[in-house]
C-alpha cells in the first residue's frame, strides 16, 4: 500500500471520496429526504441497522428447521408461508406474498428475479451479490443444472429442477431437503445446517459435521 492510499484510508471517516457512486447517491437522497422532512434520519438509521444485523438467513433457517420437525407447521408453511410464519409468533412479522417451495428427491426448486433483484428479505436478509448479477439472472432460467454445478451441486438426472421467478408481489423461500443422519436433532441443531444458498436453491442443506 502506498503512503497516499494509507493516508486516505486513515481519514475515511472524514473523506467521502471512497464512497461508491451508489453510496454517494443514496447519501444524497437521504439528505434531501431528511431536509424536506420526509424521513427522520434516526428512523432511517434504525431501519438500516435492522436489515444489517437482525434480519438475515438465520430467520429462514429457523423456519426451515421448524418445518422439518413440525408436520403441522410444514403443511401450513407450504399452504401460505406468510400466514404460517406470522401465526406461529416465533419469527417476527414478515410481509405478504411469501411462498415456500419444498425440495424432495424428484423436485429441486431454485429462485431468481429475472427482472431485478426481488428477494425474501424478511427471512433471508440482504441478497448476495451474485443473486443480482446479470449472468445468474439470465443463465439460471436457461441452464439451471449448469448454474447448480457452478455452485458445486450435482443432482441426479431424475431430479427435476424448477426455477421460480420472483416479483415485487411474490417472493419464494426454498425448503431444502433435511440431511440424512439428523434424526432426533433439535430445531437449533438443524437450523445450523440450513445455509442461505440452500434456501435460494443454489445449494443444499449442509451434511451433519460439515460445518464448524
Ligand atoms: Fe426483482
Amino acid at each position: 500500500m502506498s503512503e497516499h492510499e494509507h493516508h486516505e484510508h486513515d481519514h475515511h471517516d472524514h473523506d467521502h471520496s471512497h464512497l461508491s457512486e451508489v453510496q454517494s447517491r443514496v447519501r444524497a437522497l437521504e439528505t434531501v429526504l431528511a431536509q424536506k422532512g420526509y424521513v427522520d434520519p434516526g428512523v432511517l438509521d434504525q431501519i438500516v441497522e435492522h436489515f444489517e444485523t437482525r434480519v438475515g438467513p438465520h430467520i429462514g433457517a429457523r423456519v426451515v428447521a421448524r418445518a422439518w420437525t413440525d408436520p403441522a407447521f410444514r403443511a401450513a408453511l407450504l399452504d401460505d408461508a406468510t400466514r404460517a410464519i406470522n401465526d406461529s409468533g416465533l419469527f417476527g412479522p414478515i410481509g405478504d406474498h411469501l411462498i415456500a417451495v419444498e425440495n424432495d428427491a424428484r423436485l429441486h426448486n431454485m429462485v431468481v428475479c429475472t427482472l431485478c433483484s426481488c428477494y425474501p428479505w424478511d427471512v433471508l436478509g440482504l441478497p448476495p451479490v451474485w443473486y443480482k448479477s446479470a449472468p445468474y439472472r439470465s443463465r439460471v432460467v436457461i441452464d439451471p443444472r449448469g448454474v447448480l454445478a457452478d455452485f458445486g451441486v450435482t443432482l441426479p438426472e431424475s431430479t427435476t429442477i424448477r426455477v421460480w421467478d420472483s416479483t415485487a408481489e411474490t417472493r419464494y423461500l426454498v425448503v431444502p431437503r433435511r440431511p440424512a443422519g439428523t434424526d432426533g436433532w433439535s430445531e437449533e441443531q438443524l437450523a445450523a445446517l440450513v445455509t442461505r444458498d440452500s434456501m435460494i436453491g443454489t445449494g443444499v442443506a449442509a451434511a451433519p459435521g460439515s460445518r464448524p
Side-chain angles (χ1 to χ4, degrees):
M1 188 182 278
S2 73
E3 279 300 309
H4 180 66
E5 285 167 337
H6 190 70
H7 172 82
E8 283 190 353
H9 191 74
D10 281 346
H11 292 80
H12 74 277
D13 281 339
H14 310 288
D15 177 0
H16 295 171
S17 65
H18 283 259
L19 294 178
S20 71
E21 189 189 341
V22 171
Q23 286 173 315
S24 299
R25 284 169 180 269
V26 168
R27 182 158 298 189
L29 188 59
E30 284 176 2
T31 302
V32 170
L33 290 174
Q35 281 171 352
K36 301 246 182 213
Y38 293 127
V39 175
D40 176 340
V43 170
L44 201 57
D45 284 346
Q46 282 175 24
I47 293 169
V48 171
E49 195 264 342
H50 180 72
F51 274 100
E52 282 182 345
T53 62
R54 298 200 203 167
V55 178
H58 59 283
I59 296 175
R62 287 172 52 217
V63 169
V64 168
R66 185 155 195 94
W68 284 346
T69 53
D70 180 339
F73 179 75
R74 170 185 167 272
L77 185 75
L78 296 175
D79 182 52
D80 183 335
T82 296
R83 181 186 292 177
I85 290 170
N86 288 340
D87 284 358
S88 77
L90 297 170
F91 308 104
I94 66 155
D96 286 342
H97 312 300
L98 183 67
I99 295 172
V101 290
E102 186 182 57
N103 292 346
D104 58 28
R106 290 165 303 169
L107 178 67
H108 180 89
N109 297 284
M110 297 180 76
V111 179
V112 67
C113 178
T114 54
L115 279 180
C116 44
S117 57
C118 299
Y119 189 73
W121 295 53
D122 337 54
V123 284
L124 295 190
L126 299 170
V129 172
W130 54 258
Y131 184 83
K132 298 180 277 187
S133 73
Y136 177 75
R137 284 158 44 203
S138 55
R139 197 168 157 236
V140 74
V141 177
I142 302 163
D143 181 19
R145 207 170 280 275
V147 171
L148 268 182
D150 289 343
F151 278 86
V153 177
T154 307
L155 297 174
E157 284 297 325
S158 56
T159 302
T160 300
I161 300 175
R162 180 157 185 190
V163 178
W164 299 86
D165 195 356
S166 311
T167 68
E169 293 287 296
T170 311
R171 315 292 172 101
Y172 297 93
L173 174 72
V174 175
V175 179
R177 298 179 70 187
R178 178 170 174 167
T182 58
D183 287 356
W185 282 36
S186 70
E187 272 182 47
E188 194 181 349
Q189 289 175 304
L190 289 168
L193 301 178
V194 184
T195 63
R196 179 198 63 199
D197 288 4
S198 75
M199 294 181 282
I200 304 174
T202 52
V204 295
S210 66
R211 299 191 96 191

